[in-house]
Amino acid sequence: MSDALKHECGIALIRLLKPLEYYKEKYGTAFYGINKMYLMMEKQHNRGQDGAGFASIKLDVDPGQRYISRVRSNQPQPIQDIFGQINDRINNELYNSPEIREDVAAQKSQIPYLGEVMIGHVRYGTFGKNSIESVHPFLRQNNWMHRNLIMAGNFNMTNVKQLFDKLVSLGQHPKDLADTITVMEKVGHFQDRQVRKLYKKFKNEGYSKVEASPKIAEELDVAKILRKSARDWDGGYAMGGLMGHGDAFLLRDPAGIRPAYYYQDDEVIAIASERPVIQTAFNAPFEQVQELEPGNAIIIKKDGRVSIEQIKEPLERKACSFERIYFSRGSDAEIYKERKELGRLLFPRIMDSIDHDIENSVFSFIPNTAETSFYGMVEAAHAALDQQKTDAILAGNGQLTREQVESTLSRKLRTEKIAIKDAKLRTFITEDSSRDDLVAHVYDVTYGVVKQDDNLVIIDDSIVRGTTLKKSILKMMDRLQPKRIVVVSSAPQIRYPDCYGIDMARLEDLVAFRAALELHKERGTYQMVEDIYEKCLTQVNFEDVDVVNYVKEFYDPFTDEEISNKIAVLLSDEDLNAEVKIIYQKVHDLHKACPKNLGDWYFTGNYPTPGGNRVVNRAFINFFEGNKERAY
């Protein structure tokens, strides 16, 4: 994606099902789980590079021994940093105590991080928050083993304030309004309540306090805790947790907004945000990596029992389509096909934009995740060129000379690597004019492959804000002196804020919104903007289920093409010589390409949960009032 966009997170959870000695004997190391966790997190670094964290729990340790370890980092390369710290600690222990190198029990006793249950997390810091305190996993500590809680997730709640107020009404004093804290404290509250009830039960049955502790761990009903905790949650989430005694879980939201996959064999249970992560880490076949269904949780008890439990009634499935377009790794078999299809479906309108002149057109992509949709576009272009060749030969009615036939058949599609991002270039100057000049040179350009009468077609994953296009890419492409630059987005126009994990909180940042606003001003319909603001204000105190998304009316007067054309004007500087055209994917074609991931609220305004409508109206109010605060 050419626009810098903070988004998503990645989660990984591993539960070893055999004693650590088993992995030492079979794989040569008791650190098998830690090694796999590193691999799973590294294979999800695309989901977050601002912070990373790891936590582990040792099972069945004696009192007085540390059984929870956690390490977090917000350094420039956080995954490498945390596992560098883990590796240093392990090597120091082995160096200082060489006698434990072959003694797994001693290693488990003396070396931190070496446990049977592990959770890892990678994140992007959204809305400017990237302190170490914001990095997952979060830890809720207690002297009772089964009242400890470690949580990490890929999520965003739309109703954080309401959840916070609920905790306060329960008598709690949360230390922060952040949704991670409120969610963990909610789970912790019902975890504590159930522990107290079980303790009273076993005390009445004659068990001593020491005898009751393992009984509580055995009978703790994780599904019940999650049902009570998640009752009021509104958002998209894949929420993982470990309890101090060894129970583990991962819960997915009822609309399936955030992804979660799991794999189980006789040695391990692995859970991750993406399927190919598990496939690669455990050499698992595609069909053995299962998707966790919306509203369900996978629960792993301390004794190794695994169950899939419905926690919330599933809603209409609205899995995030941006996962398929951009966020998830394209190595997933289904995602790879879907991205190619996105490129293929765009080609008929690309043909119109270049006047069907394939011969005088150069096709390329903006590195690097758009490459797969580029392949789909190219396949469609090859098919169109073959059809043109066939038509030309048939039109000759057998009268063409050998040279004419050979000339027709020799026509080739012109594909080139035009844009090469210079990853080492940093904009170290903050003064605007100097900084803009540096931004314009973030990409290198390939000279000598575009002629002055050529169309230059560039495909990107999406055009969100358009900043990089305006300040860098279009200027760079214009240096090649094509007659026309066609920028193609494999995603539809992003018109509405996301409130389920992607950092798109402000309407005025979205180039499609700015284009529609300009159209209102030009056509004398700005009164409609004020009317929408008044309608949004009337709903401020409504319950979420009663709120209507009035921001849809903002776009109603204009066609997709009118907005795309205005975007092309907004992104074109006066000093550009080439004509600029912008083409966006159609929403119905997006659904054709990604039929299982129909979550499209950022394109259509059709939010999958009631909280979304409140957020978009608040975002419009903030825009109209000039308020720069986040809408959720």
Side-chain angles (χ1 to χ4, degrees):
M1 185 182 294
S2 59
D3 280 325
L5 188 65
K6 301 287 187 178
H7 63 84
E8 300 301 327
C9 292
I11 192 167
L13 192 153
I14 292 177
R15 170 62 154 90
L16 301 178
L17 297 175
K18 304 283 188 183
L20 294 176
E21 287 81 3
Y22 172 90
Y23 304 96
K24 169 70 172 174
E25 182 177 343
K26 182 171 181 178
Y27 298 105
T29 176
F31 305 105
Y32 170 85
I34 294 175
N35 293 338
K36 293 297 185 184
M37 180 59 79
Y38 169 70
L39 188 56
M40 289 177 71
M41 290 176 65
E42 192 58 73
K43 291 297 180 182
Q44 293 185 101
H45 77 267
N46 55 295
R47 303 185 71 85
Q49 297 167 30
D50 288 341
F54 168 93
S56 66
I57 288 179
K58 303 174 188 284
L59 301 181
D60 300 315
V61 300
D62 293 329
Q65 287 190 347
R66 183 176 178 181
Y67 58 95
I68 295 177
S69 299
R70 180 180 63 152
V71 57
R72 299 181 293 173
S73 173
N74 62 348
Q75 294 302 303
Q77 294 184 310
I79 300 174
Q80 291 87 340
D81 183 44
I82 63 172
F83 282 96
Q85 293 182 52
I86 292 171
N87 192 52
D88 288 346
R89 187 68 184 272
I90 290 171
N91 287 336
N92 286 338
E93 293 289 344
L94 293 177
Y95 177 81
N96 293 326
S97 305
E99 70 278 3
I100 71 171
R101 287 186 177 274
E102 301 302 321
D103 187 342
V104 175
Q107 288 178 8
K108 179 177 176 180
S109 175
Q110 292 182 220
I111 299 177
Y113 310 113
L114 180 58
E116 294 89 348
V117 196
M118 288 156 277
I119 192 167
H121 190 267
V122 295
R123 77 183 291 270
Y124 274 112
T126 58
F127 215 66
K129 294 183 179 179
N130 196 34
S131 65
I132 192 67
E133 288 80 13
S134 299
V135 179
H136 301 207
F138 282 64
L139 173 60
R140 190 176 192 264
Q141 291 182 289
N142 193 284
N143 256 3
W144 285 56
M145 182 179 280
H146 34 252
R147 289 174 69 171
N148 285 281
L149 178 64
I150 303 168
M151 286 193 70
N154 169 18
F155 70 100
N156 203 73
M157 298 298 176
T158 71
N159 59 336
V160 181
K161 182 65 167 60
Q162 293 93 321
L163 295 175
F164 179 88
D165 291 343
K166 185 73 172 181
L167 289 175
V168 173
S169 72
L170 293 171
Q172 292 193 21
H173 190 93
K175 64 180 182 181
D176 198 340
L177 187 60
D179 52 7
T180 309
I181 296 295
T182 55
V183 163
M184 184 175 68
E185 290 300 333
K186 193 75 174 291
V187 175
H189 169 77
F190 288 107
Q191 181 183 0
D192 288 347
R193 251 178 49 165
Q194 194 175 133
V195 167
R196 287 194 296 269
K197 287 184 178 180
L198 287 171
Y199 171 67
K200 289 180 181 178
K201 170 190 171 185
F202 292 122
K203 182 181 178 182
N204 292 336
E205 292 176 3
Y207 288 93
S208 69
K209 294 179 179 179
V210 173
E211 292 170 334
S213 193
K215 295 288 291 181
I216 292 171
E218 181 182 336
E219 293 198 17
L220 201 66
D221 189 339
V222 178
K224 186 175 181 179
I225 292 170
L226 293 177
R227 288 188 187 104
K228 288 180 175 293
S229 304
R231 185 180 298 150
D232 301 324
W233 292 356
D234 187 288
Y237 48 88
M239 198 83 64
L242 314 179
M243 296 178 179
H245 60 282
D247 286 358
F249 65 86
L250 189 128
L251 168 63
R252 190 180 184 195
D253 68 83
I257 296 169
R258 299 273 72 88
Y261 296 87
Y262 67 95
Y263 165 78
Q264 179 180 0
D265 59 24
D266 62 345
E267 296 180 351
V268 67
I269 297 165
I271 308 171
S273 296
E274 300 188 30
R275 189 199 318 262
V277 170
I278 299 173
Q279 288 184 260
T280 299
F282 296 95
N283 194 27
F286 176 91
E287 61 275 5
Q288 290 186 20
V289 182
Q290 304 296 313
E291 182 178 7
L292 183 63
E293 291 300 314
N296 284 2
I298 179 169
I299 297 170
I300 310 143
K301 289 293 290 179
K302 183 211 171 220
D303 60 11
R305 286 176 292 148
V306 181
S307 62
I308 306 293
E309 304 274 356
Q310 182 176 305
I311 304 302
K312 298 195 74 173
E313 186 72 29
L315 303 173
E316 182 182 0
R317 182 185 169 95
K318 291 292 183 180
C320 174
S321 56
F322 244 128
E323 287 281 350
R324 321 303 279 188
I325 297 167
Y326 171 69
F327 294 149
S328 294
R329 293 173 78 89
S331 55
D332 183 280
E334 289 182 342
I335 292 175
Y336 184 80
K337 292 176 182 177
E338 290 169 5
R339 289 183 182 173
K340 284 185 70 175
E341 185 67 3
L342 287 170
R344 190 188 68 77
L345 290 169
L346 279 161
F347 193 72
R349 287 188 295 130
I350 294 173
M351 280 287 276
D352 292 339
S353 74
I354 60 174
D355 303 320
H356 294 253
D357 185 5
I358 294 179
E359 191 169 354
N360 292 304
S361 297
V362 175
F363 298 87
S364 192
F365 59 93
I366 299 174
N368 54 5
T369 50
E371 188 172 3
T372 306
S373 56
F374 168 75
Y375 291 143
M377 178 183 72
V378 165
E379 286 182 4
H382 276 301
L385 182 58
D386 288 345
Q387 185 63 52
Q388 288 183 358
K389 293 177 185 179
T390 301
D391 292 343
I393 292 172
L394 291 176
N397 293 319
Q399 302 302 311
L400 298 180
T401 65
R402 180 182 183 89
E403 289 76 15
Q404 288 173 318
V405 172
E406 287 178 348
S407 176
T408 299
L409 292 176
S410 68
R411 292 168 57 198
K412 303 292 184 185
L413 191 69
R414 297 166 61 198
T415 59
E416 304 289 351
K417 184 72 174 284
I418 294 293
I420 303 165
K421 191 169 187 178
D422 189 344
K424 295 180 180 178
L425 188 62
R426 294 289 183 266
T427 53
F428 59 91
I429 299 175
T430 56
E431 191 266 323
D432 285 346
S433 59
S434 298
R435 194 172 189 276
D436 287 351
D437 182 62
L438 286 175
V439 168
H441 293 84
V442 167
Y443 287 90
D444 289 330
V445 61
T446 304
Y447 294 96
V449 296
V450 177
K451 306 191 303 290
Q452 288 190 356
D453 58 349
D454 280 340
N455 302 297
L456 179 53
V457 180
I458 302 289
I459 192 167
D460 194 359
D461 302 293
S462 62
I463 305 169
V464 184
R465 302 182 182 105
T467 307
T468 308
L469 267 180
K470 182 179 180 68
K471 293 189 175 182
S472 176
I473 293 170
L474 287 175
K475 292 180 179 180
M476 172 191 69
M477 298 299 175
D478 195 56
R479 293 202 296 268
L480 300 176
Q481 299 183 326
K483 70 175 182 182
R484 180 182 298 147
I485 302 170
V486 182
V487 183
V488 187
S489 169
S490 68
Q493 295 170 2
I494 298 168
R495 300 180 170 190
Y496 303 91
D498 183 68
C499 50
Y500 304 113
I502 309 169
D503 192 18
M504 298 189 301
R506 292 168 51 193
L507 281 167
E508 59 268 35
D509 287 345
L510 307 177
V511 69
F513 183 86
R514 299 200 306 272
L517 186 63
E518 287 300 312
L519 289 172
H520 277 296
K521 292 176 180 177
E522 289 175 4
R523 299 183 184 184
T525 56
Y526 194 80
Q527 181 60 45
M528 176 179 285
V529 180
E530 298 182 9
D531 293 342
I532 294 169
Y533 167 69
E534 294 294 339
K535 290 179 180 179
C536 291
L537 280 181
T538 64
Q539 300 185 107
V540 166
N541 295 317
F542 283 17
E543 295 293 327
D544 285 357
V545 293
D546 299 322
V547 176
V548 175
N549 179 2
Y550 284 118
V551 184
K552 287 184 177 184
E553 296 179 6
F554 179 78
Y555 297 99
D556 285 346
F558 316 117
T559 65
D560 291 353
E561 287 70 26
E562 286 173 328
I563 293 176
S564 293
N565 292 340
K566 179 54 68 175
I567 290 172
V569 172
L570 293 179
L571 299 185
S572 300
D573 279 346
E574 292 181 0
D575 56 354
L576 288 183
N577 294 308
E579 176 191 5
V580 176
K581 290 190 175 184
I582 305 288
I583 296 175
Y584 281 91
Q585 188 76 255
K586 295 288 188 181
V587 172
H588 60 80
D589 282 340
L590 170 68
H591 291 169
K592 283 182 189 176
C594 309
K596 297 180 183 178
N597 286 56
L598 301 178
D600 60 7
W601 53 92
Y602 14 70
F603 311 127
T604 65
N606 298 326
Y607 286 90
T609 73
N613 289 336
R614 172 175 45 78
V615 167
V616 68
N617 284 343
R618 169 50 61 185
F620 196 89
I621 292 170
N622 287 350
F623 145 72
F624 195 86
E625 296 179 350
N627 182 352
K628 301 299 182 183
E629 291 183 5
R630 196 176 188 176
Y632 54 92

